[in-house]
Amino acid sequence: MRMKSGSDSKRLYKNKAYLYLIASQTVSAIGNWLDILAVITLVAVKWSASPLAVSGVMLVFVGPMVLFGPFSGVLSDRYDRRLIMLISDLFCVVLVLGVAFSTELWHVYALLFLKSSFVALFIPAKNGKLKEIVKDDQMQAAMGISGMIDNGAKIIGPVLSGIIVATVGIQWAFYIDALTFALSALFLLGIPKDNRKTKVAENEQQKTNIMSNLLVEMKEGFTFLKTIPIILISLIITTLLLLVLQIADTQFMVLLRGIFKDPVTVAGYSMAASGGGMFLASAIFTKMHIRSTLSCMFFGALGLGISLVALALMVQYPPSFLSIAYPMLFFLAGFSFGSAIIPLNITVQKSTPVDKTGRVFGIINSMTTLGTLIGMISGGVLSELFGVEMTFTVSGASLIVVSLLTLIIKFPIERRYAMSPKVTKQYKENRKLEILKAAETVFCQKGFEPTTMKDVVEISGMSRGGVYQYFSSTEEMLKCILNERDDQFENKIQQLIQSNQPVWETIESILDGYNKESFHKISAVTYEYFVTGWRSEGVERIPYLLTRFNRARENYIQLLQKGVDSGEFSPNQSLHTIATFMINVTDGILLETNLAGKKEADTEGQINALKIYLKTALQI
């Protein structure tokens, strides 16, 4: 695996929106780890809850991701992602303060469930916003830095929480956590609002049936995942890995309280060490070219399995020795976990178009969290029945089995579904042209607004993933088609400028072409695209329209200037005005011809009228 240069990271730090986003993520992540250790300490140590009750705390931390993950992913694709994150942070401030004053276990469960529900809204919105504000060639660096922040917080948060709990009490950990959510919301104000076109239903029935529309969009996210089989298979393995891991992970405080007089301190150091291992994995994968996601998952699952088995086998050793050995094993576990999870997140983020990011990550979070939930329940039951040491042994041995399973399926899967086949540049260009040809066909049949990516996929005969590999939206396709037509027009004008043909003959041949040639329907699609630019969701089309207009006008001005330089023209108006008039009149003639036909529009007569104006304006 080869390393990438640090230039992507340097460019990222010049992106103010990204800096505000990671600043928000940083303070929020530190607060989350303060919260987790404080809650576990409250329930497992201060209230001496049973292993199953401790598992219950972790269940309400992650349960809402299963229930609301896909739903929140759809919301983040349809509405302002910054607003969703702001609402989530502000509600979390109130809910965390509520936990600080809880006196009953069910109070904690209820408040944590609500808090985690808002976090479930935050995560896909953050991932979608990251995709929105970061360029594709910087995405791996951005994901790596994001992972380093999350795992750096896992180092700082538990240690800080342990110190706070030991010195000033558990409640202060919650107060500081609430403060971090408030700071996170302030940083989010520095991020620009979404500039995406708001996604709306394609017909009135969908507009009136919101739940049906949400289900359709969630299905689209899953359909997209199926188009990249290696990602889908890796996701299934990841879900299995998390299920097995959580059998032990939720019981770590139960394990420690049976060994140490002061389990909170050792727990803080161990969690920090785990965060250090994940931080190191994030730093490595920020710069490493990932050749095989499944290989990374094999080594990650194997390291995790070895770590957990060792934790169980060493319980008979003196606590003074374990206070050093356990953080070291947690470091290995953290590094292994990062090695298994981070490459998949990077691959998914790079492969997913921005308008699908929320849905795809919502589904991923739901699947992985479902595995986590099953593992948590299983861990609590196993600890109640057979003891916490046996639980860690079973979890570790099962992870080793998962690693071997990953190795067994790796080679046939990667041979069959190679994600990055080595193809020639010409091959890629040909595939791109095939997609654009299919898109142009659909545009001319249905118009721009009614055309969907699904329509283009069906006409092209390619897989959904194959099309999304080149284009993320129908708008991107149309712009490519228009840019190609603009290039052809510019080349034609430049060739005419370089020729010895009189300029007026050149202009006449261009104008006669409007009358002789059949009207191309893509021109009507172009009008449709730009006419809708007056709507709020289409405002971003106006600058593109002006860019194309100015480019065409500049070409006409160059052609007219040649006539002036040769003494053929003596214009009584500025060339800028004449060129602008030519474009506006010919566009109007084309539009009317398309709507009414050449005879009704009197196309030939209007072209001749334009020639009369030009002869007068140019004084031929």
Side-chain angles (χ1 to χ4, degrees), residues 251-271:
Q251 301 300 310
F252 86 101
M253 187 63 85
V254 177
L255 178 71
L256 296 182
R257 77 183 184 188
I259 300 172
F260 301 98
K261 291 181 179 180
D262 180 17
V264 177
T265 301
V266 179
Y269 288 138
S270 296
M271 290 172 67

Side-chain angles (χ1 to χ4, degrees), residues 9 42 114 149 153 176 209 241 246 282 300 512 528 557 559 590 597:
S9 299
L42 177 68
L114 289 173
I149 290 170
I176 295 173
N209 191 344
L241 182 150
Q246 288 302 319
S282 300
D512 289 340
E528 175 197 355
I557 289 174
L559 183 61
L590 282 172

Side-chain angles (χ1 to χ4, degrees), residues 434-461 474 477-478 481 520-522 525 528:
E434 289 176 22
I435 296 170
L436 290 177
K437 184 177 180 181
E440 186 170 334
T441 299
V442 183
F443 289 146
C444 292
Q445 290 174 351
K446 301 179 66 173
F448 173 71
E449 295 293 346
T451 297
T452 64
M453 290 292 284
K454 181 180 178 182
D455 296 327
V456 179
V457 169
E458 290 176 353
I459 293 293
S460 69
T474 54
M477 293 176 181
L478 181 60
I481 293 170
H520 199 299
K521 285 190 175 181
I522 197 67
V525 176
E528 175 197 355

Side-chain angles (χ1 to χ4, degrees), residues 503-511 559-560 569 582 614 618:
V503 176
W504 178 248
E505 290 183 15
T506 298
I507 292 174
E508 278 194 308
S509 68
I510 293 173
L511 296 178
L559 183 61
L560 296 172
F569 302 150
M582 285 179 66
L614 290 173
L618 296 171

